Amino acid sequence: MSPKDIDEKAPNEEAPKKSAKGLLVACLVCFILSITTSSGIAYFLIQSSKADPETTSKLNDQDDLIANLQQSLSQQETKIQAIENQNDVLKLYLKHSSATALKNILINQEQNIQAYLKVMKSAIDDLSLIVPRTMDWNNEYQYQLDLAQKGSIEREDLLKLLKTGEPNEKAPQ
């Protein structure tokens, strides 16, 4: 081995050691720099959110508003429940009120009048068959009885409409 070979080997062996140390130092510097930057940004963001009193007051106002809305909703639920209870009592009272009872009596009377007029029509028809030359008389009274029965049905319909809000389904006879 010549001295020239020895000189050439020595720098080559030292170069990998220097580049490994340089790489390690560069990675360490990069790692420290990234941690410092991340910590600085996090610290800045935390301080800016704590230091902004306007944002804090807005959040507090929104929390107060939400609490007020929840309280208002609970009060409204209580009022709705009380109104529903009163509604049930009023329905029961209305069902047994004298006005409803009077309407029921009037409807019953109109139905009785209609039944009476039906029997009377039948009786006049039978009488006209027994007595000679009474067909004109029968036709005149049958027409008047039909008008009376129609008026009674209309009154019954009106009373049922006042009572229930539903018209009578019964057709005139």
Side-chain angles (χ1 to χ4, degrees):
M1 271 204 179
S2 70
K4 199 176 191 185
D5 288 337
I6 294 176
D7 286 339
E8 287 180 7
K9 284 185 179 179
N12 285 342
E13 290 177 5
E14 290 178 18
K17 289 182 182 178
K18 284 184 181 178
S19 69
K21 287 181 183 177
L23 184 62
L24 184 62
V25 169
C27 287
L28 185 63
V29 168
C30 188
F31 177 72
I32 290 173
L33 189 63
S34 72
I35 288 180
T36 306
T37 306
S38 298
S39 299
I41 291 172
Y43 178 77
F44 175 74
L45 290 176
I46 289 172
Q47 290 301 321
S48 68
S49 68
K50 285 183 179 178
D52 191 12
E54 186 176 318
T55 305
T56 306
S57 68
K58 284 182 180 179
L59 288 174
N60 289 338
D61 290 343
Q62 287 179 351
D63 289 342
D64 293 341
L65 183 61
I66 289 172
N68 288 339
L69 287 174
Q70 287 175 340
Q71 183 182 8
S72 175
L73 283 174
S74 66
Q75 288 174 351
Q76 288 176 356
E77 287 293 327
T78 305
K79 287 180 183 179
I80 288 172
Q81 187 63 33
I83 288 171
E84 286 177 351
N85 291 339
Q86 286 178 345
N87 188 25
D88 293 338
V89 170
L90 290 174
K91 281 181 181 177
L92 183 64
Y93 176 75
L94 182 61
K95 186 176 180 181
H96 297 294
S97 72
S98 60
T100 304
L102 183 60
K103 289 175 193 171
N104 287 335
I105 291 170
L106 290 173
I107 289 171
N108 192 11
Q109 283 181 342
E110 288 299 329
Q111 290 171 346
N112 288 340
I113 289 170
Q114 291 168 24
Y116 174 77
L117 290 173
K118 188 186 238 185
V119 169
M120 189 142 181
K121 280 177 67 173
S122 178
I124 290 174
D125 193 34
D126 289 344
L127 184 62
S128 69
L129 292 175
I130 295 172
V131 178
R133 296 183 307 224
T134 55
M135 287 308 268
D136 292 334
W137 174 77
N138 180 28
N139 291 338
E140 177 67 26
Y141 284 106
Q142 290 293 336
Y143 176 73
Q144 289 178 2
L145 288 172
D146 287 341
L147 288 177
Q149 192 172 19
K150 182 179 176 187
S152 177
I153 290 172
E154 288 173 359
R155 285 189 301 273
E156 180 186 5
D157 287 343
L158 180 61
L159 288 169
K160 284 188 176 182
L161 185 63
L162 288 173
K163 178 182 172 192
T164 62
E166 298 174 5
N168 188 9
E169 297 297 326
K170 191 163 102 177
Q173 295 176 0

